[in-house]
Amino acid sequence: MSSHVEISEYDPQWAKEYARERTKIIEALGELCIGIEHIGSTSVPGLGAKPIIDMMAGVEDLANIQSDHHERLLGNGYEYVPKPDFPERAFFRRGEWGAGTHHLHIYKYKGEHWQNHLLFRNYLQSHPKSLRAYNDLKKDLAQQFTYDRAAYTEAKGPFIRQIIEQARHEKPI
C-alpha cells in the first residue's frame, strides 16, 4: 500500500486479521486492556476501505501506559506515534509511515471517543442505506483527494458526525 488514498472492496480476511492481532495486543497490554474492538471501515462487512486494520483498545487511564507496554507492542511491530494534537488517544502504527497495515488507537474505555467509534461502526453494520452512502462517499473522495490523505479524512468528517448523531438518537450503546 502506498501513501495515496485507494479504497479496496471489502475483504472478509480483515476480520480474521483483526482476530489474530487482537490476541497479540491483549497480551502486550496485559491487565491494562479492559476492552478491545475492531473499528474503522475494515470492521464493517460490505464496506470498501483503505486496507488498514483499525483497532481500539480501552484502558482506565492513558497515563497508565508505561514504557514496558510500548516495548511489548513494538515487539509485535507496533510503533508508538506521538500525536500531541490528540491527547485523548495513544496511537500505534504497524508498517511504514504512509504504508501502515494496522493502526492501534488506545482510548479511555467507554469514554466519548470509544463510544463514538462503536456508535458509527454499529450504525453502519445495521443500516445498509447509510453503509452504501458512506461507501459511495469514500470512493468519490478517494478520487478527489487521491494524493492528500488528510483532506480525504477531513472531508469524511461531516458524514461521520451526522451518523454518530443519528445513532445517538436511535439508541444508546
Side-chain angles (χ1 to χ4, degrees):
M1 190 172 114
S2 67
S3 62
H4 70 279
V5 179
E6 186 176 334
I7 303 300
S8 300
E9 292 302 314
Y10 178 78
D11 184 344
Q13 285 299 120
W14 293 336
K16 294 174 183 170
E17 181 61 20
Y18 161 73
R20 281 190 292 272
E21 292 304 307
R22 179 183 192 276
T23 302
K24 295 176 190 175
I25 291 164
I26 290 171
E27 288 173 3
L29 293 175
E31 61 189 36
L32 191 65
C33 182
I34 48 181
I36 188 163
E37 297 281 343
H38 186 188
I39 59 169
S41 296
T42 62
S43 70
V44 181
L47 182 59
K50 296 187 309 292
I52 299 169
I53 308 301
D54 277 294
M55 297 162 286
M56 173 174 71
V59 298
E60 191 64 41
D61 187 340
L62 291 177
N64 294 337
I65 302 170
Q66 302 298 316
S67 61
D68 61 320
H69 299 111
H70 285 247
E71 289 171 24
R72 288 195 298 265
L73 287 167
L74 188 57
N76 287 315
Y78 288 89
E79 175 186 2
Y80 175 65
V81 180
K83 298 272 186 177
D85 45 336
F86 292 104
E88 69 284 345
R89 173 184 76 170
F91 179 70
F92 295 81
R93 180 191 69 246
R94 184 167 157 199
E96 295 300 314
W97 178 253
T101 58
H102 300 72
H103 290 168
L104 173 61
H105 312 261
I106 304 179
Y107 292 107
K108 178 174 176 46
Y109 183 66
K110 292 193 176 182
E112 179 183 359
H113 296 282
W114 177 274
Q115 299 290 38
N116 286 346
H117 279 289
L118 295 181
L119 283 168
F120 185 69
R121 180 198 67 193
N122 296 349
Y123 193 90
L124 291 181
Q125 287 176 340
S126 61
H127 292 81
K129 187 175 177 182
S130 294
L131 184 148
R132 284 190 301 275
Y134 188 50
N135 196 57
D136 291 345
L137 174 66
K138 288 173 56 142
K139 287 179 179 179
D140 291 346
L141 293 175
Q143 287 184 329
Q144 186 177 350
F145 300 110
T146 302
Y147 299 101
D148 189 346
R149 268 190 175 185
Y152 165 82
T153 299
E154 187 176 326
K156 294 186 305 179
F159 183 91
I160 292 168
R161 289 187 292 275
Q162 175 190 347
I163 292 296
I164 290 169
E165 280 307 306
Q166 286 176 241
R168 269 199 192 101
H169 290 102
E170 192 166 287
K171 70 175 188 181
I173 292 178

